[in-house]
Amino acid sequence: MTVLSDTETGTAPRAAATGPAPLAPAARLLPALAAVYRAQLARAKVARIPLMFVATFQSVGILVMMRGVVDGGDNPSARAVVAGSSVLVVAFVALNLLAQYFGRLRATGGLDHYATLPVPPASVVLGAAAAYASFTLPGALVTAGFGAWFFQLPLTHLWVLLAVVPLAGAALSGLGAALGLLAPKQEIATLLGQLGMSAALLLGVLPAGRLPQAIRLLRDLLPSTYGVDAFARSFAPAPAWPAVLGDLAVCAGVGLVSLTLATYAYRRATTR
Amino acid sequence: MSDAPPPCCSVRGLTKNHGQIRANDGVDLEIRQGEVFGLLGPNGAGKSTLVRQLTGLLRPDAGSVEILGHDVVRHPERAARLLGYLGQESTALDELTVALAAETTGRLRGLSRAAARAESAEVLAELDLEPLAGRPLAKLSGGQRRLACFAATLVGERPLLVLDEPTTGMDPVARRAVWTAVDRRRAERGTTVLLVTHNVIEAETVLDRVAVLDQGRVIACDTPGGLKALVAGDVRLDLVWRTEPPLQVAAVAGLAERAERTGRRWSVRTSPEEARELVAAVTTGPAFAALDDFTLTTASLEDAYLQLGGRRGGLAK
């Protein structure tokens, strides 16, 4: 095209005028991520608050139900139930709702909006994932606080949740986004999100020691498990911090992989 | 030749199949800088498929697309830095307020936060959207939501705007705001506009040139006036019957075989002389008693489309 214009006009200034037009600057990763995050948080005001209540009530309900079969006081089962219920809030929102959100966005053509803006795919995926993970923090804290009181566990290390929520949130929201973006149909995205949450519920809340070996293997494959374990360990009178850090590192690693997968899925969904 | 402005967008031999269906079949187009160019055609003619390839959303099976000197088939990611696109869906913005939707879109077009906020405020004022700025798109009427999405498309200036049926559902005031905003950008910045529409009246009034698509092919490309010249001299007579058409009247019986019928509406393209005779025949006697309404208009782009061999029973639905 440029060569043609040069030979046609023969003059340098004219050639410059007919050469490729300058490209507008593309959005950079972090500002775009911040913009997506802010917009997604604002969506929460409209659409997410009722769902946050649902997520929290569900977990509190499970705590009450499990109190019937698990003794209070410091024991491994009580720790597992409280930690599992708290992380379940994260699974409900970050995995289930995000899978549904991206599934719907893809099915209705809403992804075109982002795909026709000069944004790095990672900023859309990470911004949405971070926002969905953030929605879960209040619910997870409320559930953990109530659970610790209800099962007479110490509240001393509740702050560990501040590390568990973002790291388990990264792993689960990455998975949720990938499921939503890769599912061939919106209904399948919803189904996969629900299944993922059911897995987090059954494998996370039930004490690992009482599960059969085969199910325990399945439990080890679920990213939320490591968040649950890290948080459960923190209820011990003298928590094994290296083990807690180890679990959190697994969460972070899985988070990295699942968010990378989600970014790939986004790229695939937007360039067909 | 050197005085002609360089093309803004040049499409050659563009072909795209959706399974067995050939959605675009060797489309050639040249859109000049600063013009409002329309794609007109019935539903399923391949307009949106064509636009999705120009915006880098869809990869063509064959052919080339060049926008302002950039090969968009080879570098689809460049399209977002050259054009602003208004698609038919708003689901990405639905739960945001109008102001945040516009501002966020501006930021994602590479503007700083301050610039995005300032430009968004300007565009909302320009389109008279300020009273709705704090309301979520999902809570607005269809036309208002469309206007808010149009506002988002304008934040973060681009030399080419691709608008897929931008005025669907809008009231006349909103429509005028859209076309005023488009005209201003064209006059001040030489912005080029590619408009997808199946609204014939809009096409006739706002477009500089129009390509008519039918079954994936461009069957004509000219000014609206040039296309209408194909059917120049003809008029269209529309008759609406109150009850059963009075077939005992000879003129009406003759018309019954030629007219396109939609319920009790009959429509026929004819010469002015014959139209005069027909009007005389239906405005007297038993025919007039059965007649509810009639209109006589000059031939439209729709008639040109039908004259060109367009199928699917015309454009407007």
Side-chain angles (χ1 to χ4, degrees), chain A residues 1 14 21 24 43 108 112, chain B residues 52 66 70 81 89 95:
Chain A
M1 163 77 193
R14 174 78 187 160
R43 280 181 69 231
T108 56
D112 289 358
Chain B
R52 290 173 61 80
E66 200 165 274
H70 296 271
R81 299 168 66 181
E89 289 301 332
E95 285 149 348

Side-chain angles (χ1 to χ4, degrees), chain A residues 8 16 30 35 37 45 55 68 73-74 83 100 106 109 127 133 152-153 176 179 230:
Chain A
E8 252 176 14
L30 288 179
Y37 179 79
K45 282 190 201 157
D74 190 13
Q100 290 185 30
R106 183 173 165 211
Q152 298 137 41
L153 293 175
L179 290 177

Side-chain angles (χ1 to χ4, degrees), chain B residues 95-149:
Chain B
E95 285 149 348
L96 303 181
T97 64
V98 173
L100 191 58
E103 186 190 326
T104 304
T105 307
R107 290 206 71 193
L108 299 183
R109 266 202 196 99
L111 298 181
S112 71
R113 190 165 175 174
R117 182 166 293 183
E119 259 196 54
S120 152
E122 244 169 65
V123 169
L124 294 195
E126 182 183 2
L127 297 175
D128 249 341
L129 275 171
E130 279 164 325
L132 304 177
R135 292 180 54 190
L137 266 74
K139 301 262 165 82
L140 302 178
S141 75
Q144 289 172 327
R145 195 180 315 146
R146 204 79 194 116
L147 190 60
C149 289

